[in-house]
Amino acid sequence: MNKTFTLLCLLFSTWAHAQISVKIVDSESRQPLENVRASVNGEFMASSNQSGEIKITNTEKLLIRFEVEGYEPINKEVSPGKELVVYMTKKFMNLSEITVSAFESERGILEQSASIAVVSEQDFNRFNETSLVNSFNTKPGIRIEERAPASYRISIRGSSLRAPFGVRNVKVYWNDVPFTSPDGTTALNLLDLSNIRTAEVIKGPSGSIYGAGNGGVVNLYSPANPAGGRVSADFMVGDFGMTRYKLGISQQVGNGGFEASYVSQKADGYREHSAMDRQVFQLGGFFNVSEKQEIRTQLLISDLNYQIPGALNADQLAEDPTQARPGSAAQNSSIAQQSVFASIGHLYRFTPKLKNSTTLYLNTNDFENPFILDYKKELGFGYGGRTAFTFDGKLAGKDLRIIAGGEYQSSVTDAQNFGNRAGVADTVRFADKLGAKQGFLFQQAEWDLMENFMVTFALSENFSSLEVDRQIDASGGATGLQTRKFDPVVVPRFALNYQFNDYSGIYGSISSGFSPPTIDEVRTNEGSLNLDLEAEKGLNYEVGYRMGKGKLNLDVTAFYFKLDQTITTYTNTQGVVLFRNAGSTDQKGIETAIDYALIQSQTTFVRDLKIGTAFTGHYFTFKNYQQGDNDYSGNDLTGVSPNTLVSRLDLRTSPGFYLNFTHQFVDEIPLNDGNTVYQDAYNLVNMRFGWARSFAGKWELEAFAGVDNLTDEVYSLGNDLNPFGGRYYQPAPERNWYGGVKVAFVY
């Protein structure tokens, strides 16, 4: 009997010493936290119960990672046979804790000497996830327009003035690779929202590091960062025949791994002849070769088809906003585009103070565009790369960071223009071989002149050229090669940053920028070539204040931007969009964002209650702008709303129910240079609500629904500027609903 009792005691003692016991609590309230996920090397081990306890049977010391929504993840080394209490800190998107990689310098946002907006995955998930329009438009100074489904136009501080369609005058990067083509255009609609995890938007000229583009820079990120294994499936439906589904997998392999996703999105559209169909496949890889080396790869395959309903005049808008422009459907006005984009990136750390990051890419593009007036076919190929060296050292005993590198891009396109006979390509009108090249070198020095006071000086040297080799001209015009080489441009930037303390600071900068005309501005639809278009040149002055303390974030920026040789649009009697240099502009503005967490608790029914507002005041005018007998000097800048106000409310509860509410006010917008026609001011209300929970640390479930344009406002989300025949208006959808489910399994 005594031997049996002794044996049982020994077994119990052995079992107790082979067990890891952890209790997880809130660092402030000391209340236990439920559903905290514990993992080792990415492999799920257990999740905490209602008492915040986790027990793991193991005989060895483990490094365990603890994660739960709303809290900062933490790593702890735990030994068997000992009880450990883990204190987790609440996560709040406090400005003092946000790190960005703008200007090739990874720093806290309070240390950055520029106006930068961060759009997170949380921002994307506040809306319907069919496009990036709504999430970006909650940020001050940024406006994305969608004239038809998948037809985007980006305006950063009024930069869409010269963009009748597409994305121009803004440089876009995707996972550190130039996504903007060397001819200056960006096919942003080839990306699904799932291909973007976060975004950093630099507002204003940033050519000292990023080259051409007066509007700013959009850095989009979705790098493969697999931790363990995860498979997911999303499905969504909505009004106007919208369906969307996504399949995804993430798998850790050793110290690296891969992520893959496939997304299909279709819609019939609100207006006649406005259907869209897009399939996107993305495959990303991450290979941690050694402590010094990392390799990242990306493959993006996109297949996009969308119809173009066209703009309406005021009478047509009043009669039936859902109708297409007469002739659009008969001529099958639409775009079909297939693209493959592949990249490889390499990070090498020579020493703890010196590293290099290099990315290379290839892309192909098959583009077909029947329009009312013609039929375009293009087949293109492009390649390029970017490299940057970063050195952290000392100068006069003060921290010094030096960044130096370069970027080069080249593209070749076979472009043909045909007549359009009822949506079918007819006789060829003209055919060109198009070439575009752009490259630049950049250098930047960041020096901590005094404690909490940093000085930045940056400079880039830019080169670009366009080639049009006309092979066929049915009208009898000249054929042969014509080239436009733009004069080399030196783009400097000088900036100061001073931090009052750990949570607030001010900055100021002076930066210049330039933006040469794109190939679509030089070579227009009817075949004419305008090789005399000059590059826009701008100079920007900016000051800002940031504060992120506790539950409050505040970001205020004031700027003055002067643009010379401004490129504007007009439409001739045949409806062809043409371009011209039009004097200069004066652009004064103020941008403010305030966020406050009213409630943030892991122990109450209401876990999070946050409010926020963003104000944009853009007071832009033409200067020295005369066309013929018309003097537009002093007029408001075309296509820019002077005042925009966005208000947000986000609610999350302990059972998992949530609500996201957004109201946006947009002031009246001048639609022509003469300021004789305006779009009326409008109020747009969007709302999403749902339920999201994780179970046993392995299953993640979400059900959601939402409504766009809750008040059924009549407005255009992207007007045509200075059109012929008064066709200004691209009506946006009326009130529309959507709903969906998401399921994921973590292993």
Side-chain angles (χ1 to χ4, degrees):
M1 183 67 179
N2 289 337
K3 290 182 179 180
T4 303
F5 179 74
T6 301
L7 181 60
L8 289 174
C9 289
L10 181 61
L11 290 173
F12 177 79
S13 176
T14 303
W15 174 82
H17 280 82
Q19 190 174 54
I20 292 175
S21 298
V22 181
K23 184 166 185 176
I24 305 158
V25 299
D26 182 287
S27 60
E28 293 182 4
S29 67
R30 298 298 194 265
Q31 295 294 316
L33 299 180
E34 185 182 3
N35 291 325
V36 178
R37 187 173 182 268
S39 59
V40 177
N41 295 326
E43 182 181 350
F44 171 75
M45 303 297 291
S47 60
S48 61
N49 57 24
Q50 289 184 340
S51 301
E53 296 174 343
I54 292 179
K55 296 186 183 299
I56 301 172
T57 302
N58 193 76
T59 59
E60 298 178 354
K61 184 184 296 184
L62 295 177
L63 181 63
I64 303 179
R65 183 174 178 84
F66 300 96
E67 298 174 285
V68 68
E69 184 181 1
Y71 284 79
E72 297 287 350
I74 188 171
N75 296 315
K76 287 288 185 180
E77 195 172 71
V78 186
S79 300
K82 294 183 179 180
E83 292 191 0
L84 176 69
V85 178
V86 174
Y87 299 95
M88 298 195 71
T89 304
K90 293 174 187 173
K91 179 190 291 184
F92 177 63
M93 289 298 289
N94 192 295
L95 284 178
S96 62
E97 300 170 354
I98 295 176
T99 299
V100 294
S101 301
F103 293 100
E104 291 287 352
S105 184
E106 187 170 319
R107 292 182 180 273
I109 197 168
L110 292 183
E111 298 178 67
Q112 293 281 1
S113 305
S115 181
I116 303 168
V118 178
V119 189
S120 67
E121 196 168 15
Q122 206 170 31
D123 292 316
F124 297 142
N125 293 339
R126 298 182 72 257
F127 301 99
N128 58 26
E129 300 180 51
T130 59
S131 80
L132 43 73
V133 171
N134 289 321
S135 52
F136 273 72
N137 287 352
T138 63
K139 307 300 178 179
I142 304 169
R143 177 177 169 84
I144 296 187
E145 300 174 336
E146 193 170 15
R147 300 160 66 246
S151 179
Y152 298 130
R153 186 164 64 187
I154 295 181
S155 175
I156 302 177
R157 295 181 175 174
S159 62
S160 68
L161 176 66
R162 58 188 270 203
F165 51 85
V167 179
R168 303 179 188 177
N169 208 14
V170 172
K171 190 75 172 285
V172 178
Y173 289 82
W174 183 61
N175 294 320
D176 298 320
V177 181
F179 202 73
T180 296
S181 300
D183 62 15
T185 60
T186 306
L188 192 62
N189 48 13
L190 294 175
L191 293 172
D192 181 79
L193 191 63
S194 65
N195 306 127
I196 307 168
R197 195 164 294 155
T198 60
E200 296 175 9
V201 182
I202 305 172
K203 292 176 280 185
S206 309
S208 62
I209 289 289
Y210 298 107
N214 278 309
V217 174
V218 180
N219 287 309
L220 307 174
Y221 298 102
S222 60
N225 288 308
R230 186 177 187 271
V231 293
S232 63
D234 305 352
F235 179 73
M236 183 171 65
V237 296
D239 286 340
F240 315 127
M242 187 272 289
T243 60
R244 181 179 186 272
Y245 67 86
K246 173 195 170 188
L247 302 173
I249 183 171
S250 174
Q251 180 61 61
Q252 182 176 351
V253 180
N255 292 327
F258 69 89
E259 293 182 357
S261 66
Y262 171 79
V263 184
S264 173
Q265 181 175 321
K266 298 181 180 181
D268 297 330
Y270 164 66
R271 297 177 61 192
E272 176 191 359
H273 197 68
S274 63
M276 69 88 68
D277 184 352
R278 178 174 58 202
Q279 283 83 42
V280 183
F281 172 77
Q282 180 185 356
L283 174 64
F286 170 59
F287 310 95
N288 195 358
V289 180
S290 67
E291 291 184 358
K292 289 189 173 184
Q293 292 191 73
E294 294 178 7
I295 294 176
R296 293 186 181 273
T297 60
Q298 289 285 353
L299 174 65
L300 183 79
I301 303 174
S302 299
D303 187 353
L304 171 66
N305 293 270
Y306 66 94
Q307 296 172 330
I308 303 173
L312 305 177
N313 61 34
D315 291 337
Q316 293 166 337
L317 179 68
E319 177 189 4
D320 180 10
T322 67
Q323 67 177 304
R325 173 185 170 182
S328 289
Q331 294 287 79
N332 188 30
S333 183
S334 60
I335 285 179
Q337 190 170 7
Q338 295 80 42
S339 175
V340 177
F341 189 95
S343 71
I344 182 169
H346 179 250
L347 173 65
Y348 190 85
R349 303 177 184 89
F350 297 95
T351 69
K353 294 183 178 182
L354 177 64
K355 65 179 180 179
N356 170 263
S357 177
T358 298
T359 56
L360 302 172
Y361 79 89
L362 297 171
N363 80 288
T364 62
N365 188 51
D366 190 350
F367 179 86
E368 199 161 323
N369 176 207
F371 188 55
I372 291 178
L373 304 173
D374 59 2
Y375 197 120
K376 293 168 62 176
K377 293 184 178 182
E378 296 179 358
L379 183 63
F381 169 78
Y383 64 91
R386 181 180 176 89
T387 186
F389 289 87
T390 302
F391 174 74
D392 290 310
K394 297 280 187 180
L395 178 63
K398 305 293 184 180
D399 289 341
L400 173 69
R401 175 174 291 177
I402 296 176
I403 300 166
E407 181 177 306
Y408 178 79
Q409 292 179 272
S410 177
S411 67
V412 178
T413 304
D414 285 327
Q416 300 170 306
N417 189 291
F418 302 85
N420 186 351
R421 188 182 295 274
V424 178
D426 194 16
T427 307
V428 65
R429 294 178 175 176
F430 57 92
D432 298 321
K433 286 187 178 296
L434 308 176
K437 294 181 175 65
Q438 73 89 18
F440 59 93
L441 301 174
F442 58 87
Q443 309 86 36
Q444 179 168 287
E446 300 171 343
W447 186 36
D448 290 341
L449 184 61
M450 296 184 295
E451 187 177 1
N452 298 330
F453 182 54
M454 185 174 70
V455 178
T456 300
F457 182 74
L459 193 71
S460 70
E461 303 82 32
N462 298 261
F463 312 88
S464 60
S465 64
L466 297 174
E467 292 182 350
V468 180
D469 188 359
R470 180 139 297 177
Q471 311 286 301
I472 300 172
D473 193 328
S475 67
T479 58
L481 177 65
Q482 297 191 60
T483 302
R484 175 65 194 275
K485 290 186 177 180
F486 296 94
D487 294 334
V489 179
V490 176
V491 179
R493 175 175 176 265
F494 178 73
L496 303 173
N497 181 290
Y498 180 76
Q499 288 189 256
F500 298 113
N501 42 49
D502 290 339
Y503 55 83
S504 66
I506 59 173
Y507 67 89
S509 68
I510 302 174
S511 57
S512 67
F514 80 106
S515 182
T518 68
I519 196 73
D520 289 330
E521 292 165 342
V522 169
R523 174 187 177 270
T524 54
N525 280 4
E526 94 290 5
S528 64
L529 299 178
N530 187 2
L531 294 172
D532 294 328
L533 269 180
E534 295 292 339
E536 294 180 325
K537 295 182 180 179
L539 184 63
N540 187 66
Y541 304 87
E542 184 170 303
V543 293
Y545 170 79
R546 295 189 185 100
M547 191 265 287
K549 184 178 182 182
K551 299 180 179 180
L552 176 66
N553 286 330
L554 173 63
D555 193 335
V556 182
T557 304
F559 67 90
Y560 170 63
F561 179 54
K562 188 178 185 302
L563 185 64
D564 292 320
Q565 295 292 345
T566 307
I567 297 176
T568 63
T569 69
Y570 68 101
T571 307
N572 67 10
T573 55
Q574 287 76 43
V576 177
V577 178
L578 302 173
F579 301 85
R580 58 194 173 197
N581 292 110
S584 60
T585 64
D586 275 344
Q587 301 177 206
K588 304 178 183 71
I590 184 169
E591 298 160 354
T592 303
I594 305 173
D595 300 291
Y596 186 72
L598 294 170
I599 299 174
Q600 193 168 42
S601 171
Q602 203 68 14
T603 60
T604 59
F605 177 79
V606 177
R607 296 288 173 88
D608 292 292
L609 180 58
K610 303 174 184 177
I611 56 175
T613 187
F615 171 73
T616 301
H618 284 172
Y619 311 113
F620 301 167
T621 58
F622 286 111
K623 183 180 179 181
N624 302 326
Y625 178 22
Q626 187 164 345
Q627 291 296 325
D629 296 330
N630 298 313
D631 187 356
Y632 299 131
S633 302
N635 283 10
D636 292 335
L637 201 64
T638 318
V640 178
S641 169
N643 300 292
T644 303
L645 182 67
V646 179
S647 301
R648 297 174 287 107
L649 182 146
D650 299 311
L651 170 70
R652 186 173 65 91
T653 66
S654 57
F657 296 104
Y658 66 84
L659 170 70
N660 305 119
F661 179 88
T662 308
H663 168 260
Q664 182 182 35
F665 166 76
V666 179
D667 209 345
E668 62 180 10
I669 301 173
L671 302 182
N672 62 3
D673 296 343
N675 290 180
T676 59
V677 180
Y678 284 78
Q679 175 180 274
D680 292 335
Y682 64 87
N683 291 275
L684 187 62
V685 177
N686 296 327
M687 184 171 62
R688 171 167 164 166
F689 50 91
W691 172 84
R693 287 296 298 269
S694 60
F695 296 92
K698 287 184 173 291
W699 288 97
E700 300 171 3
L701 302 178
E702 181 178 358
F704 62 91
V707 56
D708 289 340
N709 194 6
L710 178 63
T711 57
D712 211 15
E713 189 86 334
V714 177
Y715 72 105
S716 291
L717 188 59
N719 301 280
D720 283 14
L721 308 180
N722 298 310
F724 180 77
R727 291 189 292 265
Y728 294 99
Y729 308 103
Q730 301 267 4
E734 60 190 17
R735 182 190 300 116
N736 60 98
W737 296 81
Y738 61 89
V741 294
K742 297 182 179 182
V743 180
F745 178 70
V746 180
Y747 58 91

